[in-house]
């Protein structure tokens, strides 16, 4: 059983609609995240049993749940949509973990809500398994992220380009409040609810913040750190719309996301991002753009003097690049084994990245190979790398334990797109063995094990996946 304490559902009307999950025909368990369950104080045995399955599939409401669909708006690919909201997700409630942290428990794919518009409120197996694997890998790498508590199949069919098996992901987040949640009330000129939302976010995520400007500053810092983490793993979110940006700083809404194999800064994977708005190298600028939207929402809460408020908010938004650059340098320096980076380390990193791009080197394998002396093999023309390597070895000669620093920063394995696609394809035939193998292997991405060696390999040319489809 779960002890719920549903603070969001106690907010006044306008923040959500009460919506129960729609039962499914024939649910079965795909995975339960026992480690996460333990951290949350949930009995994994109960969760895997009949009552747990009934909850995870939306077939029974556990005691204390007050299911809601949250309202939010958002800028999608730059265009404002005043009403989005949870169209295929239901928030069952919140729990406070044994460590005293509050978490949302949400079913993604739980059936239609008043925000579904023309959608069916459902998810299919592919996006559910992708989010499960990728979000748990991110957590294993220490990246702020929502988590996956469970995945179930529904025994129903979901129609997209064709018929697919339906599934539901149980997502855990420190909250699901988005930049788009602020935009929802700001666009309606509802300053009263906007202020209440701000107070809610401050109390829940940034208790030290004294007001709207402080909150903006805190979200900017959190996002700068998260995006730097993404960049250092070669991660491309794919749909960085403001409704997919959590104010907690957690990575959220894994849709057509992917990690790069061959390094190139312009990489895009999402099938719906035809113009490359959310390419890997664009992500920091897009974050600033999104945070500028948050800033303009918060301006009315910054005091009587509107002009001064706009000036303050603008100044704070403009701090993002410097904060981000520091985070970036810290992350990429660690990838080279440098624990206290100096400004000139930036060009050392950039020279390596330029060589990698010119030679289509595999992002993960180059960095993982630095600690083992196998990185040169990733370059078609190792001479340039050898030159760089001399400079690099000079630089890290004074570091206390560069290999340990590198091994922490550079995973041996990432959730490679072709592996995820293979796991999804087998799962569609009812075989979850590869999914479970990836799940286990990606929880300890630094650990070398013979049975996992093949998972470190880059895709062969015909294994390469060029597009990933939207998370619907
Ligand atoms: P996304 O950008 O994929 O996170 O989704 C954008 C909006 O579309 C959100 O309001 C979602 O709730 C909604 N949405 C996405 N897929 C579905 C679906 N299958 N049924 C209903 N609403 C959906
Ligand atoms: Mg979304």
């Amino acid at each position: 059983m779960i002890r719920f304490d549903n603070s969001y559902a106690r907010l006044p009307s306008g923040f959500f609609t009460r919506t129960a999950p729609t039962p499914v025909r024939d649910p079965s368990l795909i995975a339960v995240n026992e480690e996460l369950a333990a951290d949350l104080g949930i009995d994994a045995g109960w969760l895997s049993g009949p009552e747990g399955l009934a909850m995870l599939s939306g077939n029974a409401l556990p005691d204390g749940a007050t299911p809601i669909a949250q309202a939010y708006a958002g800028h999608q690919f730059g265009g404002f949509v005043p009403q989005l909201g949870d169209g295929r997700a239901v928030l069952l409630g919140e729990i406070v973990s044994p460590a005293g942290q509050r978490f949302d428990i949400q079913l993604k794919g739980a059936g239609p809500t008043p925000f579904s518009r023309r959608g069916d409120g459902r998810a299919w197996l592919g996006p559910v398994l992708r989010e499960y694997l990728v979000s748990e890998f991110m957590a294993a790498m220490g990246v702020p992220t929502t988590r996956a508590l469970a995945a179930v199949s529904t025994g129903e069919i979901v129609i997209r380009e064709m018929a697919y098996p339906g599934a539901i992901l149980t997502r855990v987040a420190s909250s699901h409040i988005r930049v788009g949640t602020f935009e929802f009330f700001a666009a309606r000129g509802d300053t009263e609810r906007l202020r209440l939302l701000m107070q809610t976010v401050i109390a829940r995520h940034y208790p030290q913040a004294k007001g709207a400007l402080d909150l903006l500053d805190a979200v900017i810092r959190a996002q700068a750190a998260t995006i730097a983490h993404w960049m250092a793993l070669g991660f491309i979110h794919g749909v960085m719309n403001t409704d997919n940006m959590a104010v907690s700083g957690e990575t959220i809404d894994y849709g057509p996301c992917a990690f790069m194999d061959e390094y190139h800064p312009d990489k895009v994977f999402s099938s719906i991002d035809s113009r490359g708005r959310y390419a890997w190298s664009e992500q920091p600028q897009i974050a600033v753009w999104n945070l500028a939207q948050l800033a303009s929402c918060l301006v009315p809460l910054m005091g009587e003097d509107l002009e001064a408020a706009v000036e303050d908010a603008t100044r704070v938004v403009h701090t993002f690049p410097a904060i981000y650059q520091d985070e970036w340098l810290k992350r990429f320096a660690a990838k080279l084994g440098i624990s206290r980076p100096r400004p000139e380390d930036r060009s050392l990193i950039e020279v390596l990245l330029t060589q990698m791009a010119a030679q289509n080197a595999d992002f993960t394998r180059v960095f993982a190979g630095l600690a083992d002396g196998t990185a040169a093999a990733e370059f078609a023309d190792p001479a340039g790398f050898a030159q760089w390597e001399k400079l690099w070895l000079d630089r890290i000669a004074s570091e206390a334990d560069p290999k340990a620093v590198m091994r922490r920063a550079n995973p041996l394995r990432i959730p490679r797109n072709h592996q995820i696609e293979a796991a999804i394809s087998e799962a569609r035939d009812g075989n979850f063995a590869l999914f479970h193998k990836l799940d286990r292997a990606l929880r300890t991405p630094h650990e070398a094990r013979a049975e996992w060696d093949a998972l470190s390999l880059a895709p062969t040319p015909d294994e390469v996946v060029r597009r990933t489809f939207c998370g619907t």
Side-chain angles (χ1 to χ4, degrees), residues 437-456:
K437 181 178 181 179
L438 290 176
D439 182 29
R440 275 193 307 277
L442 292 168
R443 277 175 199 286
T444 52
H446 304 289
E447 188 189 327
R449 254 203 232 178
E451 59 171 316
W452 293 335
D453 279 353
L455 299 178
S456 298

Side-chain angles (χ1 to χ4, degrees), residues 141 213 332 366 437:
M141 288 302 302
L213 195 62
F332 275 84
V366 167
K437 181 178 181 179

Side-chain angles (χ1 to χ4, degrees), residues 72 178 243-244 253:
Y72 53 84
R178 304 145 193 272
D243 53 302
N244 294 335
D253 277 5

Side-chain angles (χ1 to χ4, degrees), residues 72 76 84-88 116-117 119-122 160 239 243-244 253 470 472:
Y72 53 84
Q76 297 186 310
L84 290 166
D86 289 333
R88 61 173 150 166
S116 296
R117 293 169 292 169
D120 58 4
R122 292 298 186 188
R160 296 291 178 263
V239 202
D243 53 302
N244 294 335
D253 277 5
C470 189
T472 55

Side-chain angles (χ1 to χ4, degrees), residues 33-52:
N33 188 342
E34 297 190 0
E35 216 178 308
L36 177 60
D39 288 348
L40 296 174
I42 299 172
D43 178 354
W46 175 85
L47 202 57
S48 310
E51 284 177 42

Side-chain angles (χ1 to χ4, degrees), residues 263-295:
Y263 171 69
H264 200 283
D266 302 335
K267 278 269 161 81
V268 184
F269 286 97
S270 165
S271 59
I272 54 174
D273 187 9
S274 51
R275 307 171 88 176
R277 178 179 168 93
Y278 301 140
W280 179 79
S281 60
E282 294 296 317
Q283 297 183 124
Q285 284 89 286
I286 290 293
V288 179
W289 194 92
N290 289 351
L291 292 162
Q293 307 311 312
L294 177 64

